[in-house]
Amino acid sequence: MLVLQDVSIKVEDKELLNNVNLEFGPGIHFIVGPNGAGKSTLAHAIMANPKYNTSGGIVYNDTALDDLATWERAQLGLFISFQNPTPIEGLSNFRLIKEAMDMGTTSSIMDKLNGFRGLAKELNLPEGWDKKELNVEASGGEKKKNELIQMKMLDPAVAILDEPDSGLDVDAINSLIEQLQDFNSKDKTIIIVSHYEKLLKSFEPTTVTVVANGTTSQTTDASLVDKVLSDGFKDFV
Ligand code: ADP
Ligand code: MG
């Protein structure tokens, strides 16, 4: 269980969110809200992006995360896929996974590489995707697919996906939904920031959180998704 207790998030002394009280247990959780409301800010703060100054408490399975760096949170099982993935020249897509995981022996590395290539093929990524530089000269949709591969390979307990659908074509959206359904069957906590109707309608969420007006409100009432999709956020802002 990931718990945020009275969290406030600032950037350069500007308060973006306060009074954030949220709980994410196993299951699917949606985060919605108007553009610029602070959804990505919330995701980055959970992962300890140093640009964001966070106060209050973030606890994961009884461990206080507040003093832990991003890599330490990742080692505990937290993962983020970025709204805008950063290009890193000289680092290949597979090398990133290899560095992030303890892969053990050469044969185990080959198994992982084959797993990576299988996922890349399922997602219709070009031949040689494992050797391509991370997010360098990749399309928006390709970057999103690559983030999905990272999630499947690293197998985190908690996956925070910031607009995982943006830039994906129709076939890729269907693959994304299938991959998430498969991942969800393993008792994972999946937090999805999205406004994409097909994605939101493909899952029965455990909770829905609206980020608006400098704070968050969370409900277990899944009908909020339909309300937001039809009426927008006018009742929240
Ligand atoms: P959302 O993901 O809900 O669209 P964001 O979390 O990206 O919104 O942004 C929330 C607000 O915080 C916006 O006004 C944005 O300009 C501002 N903001 C986010 N990150 C930074 C940053 N690193 N520096 C300055 N302002 C930021
Ligand atoms: Mg965002």
Side-chain angles (χ1 to χ4, degrees), residues 56-145:
I58 305 182
V59 179
Y60 174 57
N61 288 352
D62 299 326
T63 302
L65 301 186
D66 309 289
D67 295 329
L68 301 186
T70 301
W71 67 270
E72 292 170 307
R73 298 184 193 202
Q75 279 197 338
L76 286 176
L78 275 69
F79 170 88
I80 185 170
S81 90
F82 297 110
Q83 183 170 0
N84 299 308
T86 306
I88 303 184
E89 288 179 12
L91 177 66
S92 77
N93 287 322
F94 185 68
R95 184 65 191 252
L96 174 79
I97 311 280
K98 190 164 169 281
E99 294 298 328
M101 291 174 86
D102 181 8
M103 288 196 181
T105 60
T106 309
S107 76
S108 145
I109 294 170
M110 282 314 294
D111 285 349
K112 294 283 190 301
L113 180 58
N114 288 333
F116 182 102
R117 287 177 174 162
L119 285 166
K121 196 164 182 189
E122 275 175 45
L123 291 167
N124 278 323
L125 286 162
E127 196 75 15
W129 187 254
D130 51 292
K131 297 189 205 70
K132 204 166 176 313
E133 288 176 298
L134 184 71
N135 299 318
V136 176
E137 288 169 16
S139 74
E142 286 175 338
K143 291 180 192 174
K144 293 286 157 167
K145 291 178 183 182

Side-chain angles (χ1 to χ4, degrees), residues 157-200:
V158 180
I160 305 167
L161 310 176
D162 194 355
E163 308 216 5
D165 46 73
S166 62
L168 293 185
D169 61 38
V170 182
D171 293 333
I173 290 281
N174 292 335
S175 306
L176 168 69
I177 291 166
E178 277 170 30
Q179 298 282 358
L180 289 177
Q181 278 162 344
D182 173 53
F183 191 68
N184 187 34
S185 66
K186 298 183 208 152
D187 206 28
K188 305 289 189 182
T189 298
I190 310 175
I191 303 170
I192 305 174
V193 179
S194 178
H195 294 114
Y196 192 72
E197 182 162 1
K198 182 163 184 190
L199 182 64
L200 297 177

